[in-house]
Structures are given as structure tokens and as C-alpha cells.
């Protein structure tokens, strides 16, 4: 699993997907709900989780011995 996360981190896909989700969640109107779920909040939380994961993978890659 660590190899997969490091490979995604190297291509910066996780960072850009997370950033796009946070920005999209910030731009969507607060009243948008689907099935009782607050869609903007869902995007912000998911994007934030992806960004935090990207940071931890970067730290792992930086600190792990090669």
C-alpha cells in the first residue's frame, strides 16, 4: 500500500484532486443537499483528507530510508 501512495504522490494526482475538491466544496452553495447529505461539506472534508494524506505520504517519502 505504501508503494501505491508514494506512486500517486510522485505524480501529484492526490494533491490536485484534493485541492479541486476543497475549492469545489467552497464554491458550491451551502443549501445544496442530496439525500440529506450536505454536498459542499462532503467535498471539503474529502478534499481535506486527500490533502492530509498527500502531506503524510510526502513526509514518509522524505524520512524513509531508501
Amino acid at each position: 500500500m505504501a508503494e501505491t501512495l508514494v506512486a500517486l504522490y510522485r505524480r501529484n494526482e492526490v494533491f490536485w484532486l484534493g485541492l479541486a475538491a476543497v475549492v469545489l466544496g467552497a464554491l458550491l452553495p451551502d443549501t445544496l443537499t442530496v439525500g440529506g447529505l450536505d454536498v459542499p461539506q462532503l467535498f471539503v472534508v474529502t478534499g481535506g483528507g486527500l490533502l492530509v494524506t498527500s502531506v503524510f505520504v510526502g513526509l514518509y517519502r522524505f524520512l524513509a530510508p531508501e
Side-chain angles (χ1 to χ4, degrees), residues 17-54:
L17 286 173
L19 187 61
V22 169
V23 169
L24 183 62
L27 293 177
L28 288 173
D30 291 335
T31 57
L32 182 63
T33 59
V34 174
L37 292 174
D38 187 17
V39 176
Q41 183 179 6
L42 181 67
F43 273 105
V44 169
V45 169
T46 303
L50 289 172
L51 288 173
V52 168
T53 301
S54 178

